[in-house]
Amino acid sequence: MTYSAVKISKGRGGWGSGLTLLPTDENNIVISVTGGGIHPVAAKIAELSGAEVVDGFTNNVPDAKILCAVINCGGTARIGVYPKKRIPTVDVYPGEPGGPLAQFITDDIFVSAVTPAEVTVAVGATVPAAAPAATLSAEETAAAYKADAARKAAARGTGFSGFVVGFGNGIGYLINTLLSSGRQAVKLTLNTIIPFMAYVSLLIGIVTYTGLATWIANLVSPLASNPIGLILLGVIVGLPFLSPILGPGAAIAQVIGVLMGTQIASGAIPVQYALPTLFAIDGQVGCDFVPVGLSLGEAEPETVSVGVPAVLFSRQITSPLSVIIAYGASFLLI
């Protein structure tokens, strides 16, 4: 099979210096983890390079065969899943290192804001070769372990001095762990949580100012004002082909939740419908993350290929069922 190297540059507002990829017989699959089938960027990469393109949302591919992963994440969890595995990642959104896996997103493995126009044939470009991993025999590994253990034992000392040194090391480890956790929590809050809150606030402000909020409220209110309508709403948002599209960031659920909250507060919808309405609009939440979550859990390819449709179809049962249970429990809250 003849392959060609492709150059992938960052788009407008993107991050990263770009990627140059060359498929091989062992590493020749482009996965599109965007929901809704094959993304045009993934199709363009496969077309120019001669690689195979696969919908990563419905099919699982061993990591060793993945040339690159095409995602659509603005900076939450999914953005760092494939960089953590050292798989070249192409984000079609203008994302940058963020989320709990931000430390794995490096310039040599990630590029964002990519459109088909940023994917070109690499003329005269060379693909960096990975450095060979150093290997040790079993005897060398055992000897190195014993030498390291002896060095640590000598450093700790014996008796009371050894106890003091060990106690001090333990306290230092605890403090450093707490300090690192606090640093990561603050960084995650500043880089991910607060920007997402601002995004949702802006989105709500736009739909409210333009009058779209009133239109959505008038459209959904008849469904949310009776139990049958809520169950129907839960069925709709839980549709396997619709839930992955509505799922990213739970933005749709948050906007509708705010709108329905204002309707309940104004008395247009009875207050006992608040709890079942919550479950009715949240049936799709997390459906876009199913294949990524399974990958994070290092699931086998067979598990992912069966697990993704199983979870999506199970939402068709659990979503309306949760609305019914919430409706029954809501009368206890009055």
Side-chain angles (χ1 to χ4, degrees):
M1 180 69 182
T2 303
Y3 298 108
S4 301
V6 294
K7 182 178 181 181
I8 307 171
S9 306
K10 68 178 180 180
R12 183 181 178 87
W15 188 89
S17 59
L19 303 174
T20 301
L21 305 175
L22 177 63
T24 64
D25 290 336
E26 296 77 23
N27 187 244
N28 60 354
I29 296 180
V30 178
I31 61 171
S32 177
V33 195
T34 56
I38 304 298
H39 194 276
V41 170
K44 183 73 173 293
I45 295 173
E47 176 187 354
L48 296 182
S49 66
E52 178 184 356
V53 61
V54 172
D55 185 354
F57 198 88
T58 57
N59 302 279
N60 185 257
V61 179
D63 293 344
K65 295 183 68 64
I66 299 177
L67 175 67
C68 69
V70 177
I71 64 172
N72 58 343
C73 181
T76 51
R78 197 188 329 172
I79 195 172
V81 171
Y82 295 103
K84 182 181 179 181
K85 300 179 180 182
R86 299 301 298 168
I87 295 175
T89 304
V90 179
D91 194 349
V92 299
Y93 288 173
E96 59 183 22
L101 301 177
Q103 67 269 29
F104 300 104
I105 305 173
T106 55
D107 187 72
D108 63 323
I109 206 75
F110 180 85
V111 63
S112 65
V114 178
T115 68
E118 276 76 51
V119 181
T120 58
V121 176
V123 179
T126 58
V127 181
T135 58
L136 297 176
S137 65
E139 294 77 9
E140 291 173 330
T141 302
Y145 176 79
K146 290 180 181 179
D148 185 63
R151 179 184 60 79
K152 292 180 178 178
R156 285 195 300 267
T158 58
F160 181 73
S161 62
F163 169 76
V164 172
V165 172
F167 182 77
N169 289 338
I171 294 298
Y173 176 79
L174 176 62
I175 292 176
N176 287 332
T177 300
L178 295 177
L179 180 61
S180 177
S181 300
R183 185 184 299 112
Q184 292 184 16
V186 172
K187 185 177 180 180
L188 180 62
T189 301
L190 293 176
N191 295 344
T192 304
I193 298 177
I194 292 179
F196 187 77
M197 292 172 62
Y199 153 72
V200 173
S201 300
L202 176 63
L203 187 60
I204 292 174
I206 291 174
V207 298
T208 301
Y209 178 78
T210 59
L212 187 59
T214 304
W215 182 81
I216 295 176
N218 292 334
L219 181 65
V220 180
S221 294
L223 293 178
S225 60
N226 62 87
I228 303 301
L230 287 173
I231 295 174
L232 178 60
L233 184 60
V235 171
I236 293 174
V237 300
L239 291 173
F241 63 87
L242 189 61
S243 55
I245 300 175
L246 298 177
I252 302 298
Q254 292 189 59
V255 172
I256 296 179
V258 172
L259 298 178
M260 298 312 299
T262 58
Q263 293 293 305
I264 293 173
S266 65
I269 297 177
V271 67
Q272 61 264 31
Y273 289 114
L275 188 60
T277 298
L278 173 65
F279 282 91
I281 65 177
D282 279 348
Q284 86 289 349
V285 174
C287 285
D288 62 311
F289 195 73
V290 176
V292 178
L294 290 172
S295 297
L296 281 173
E298 299 181 355
E300 295 294 332
E302 295 79 6
T303 303
V304 177
S305 62
V306 174
V308 172
V311 172
L312 295 181
F313 279 103
S314 69
R315 291 296 179 94
Q316 282 283 270
I317 301 174
T318 59
S319 182
L321 185 61
S322 64
V323 175
I324 296 174
I325 296 174
Y327 180 75
S330 65
F331 289 97
L332 302 177
L333 304 177
I334 300 177

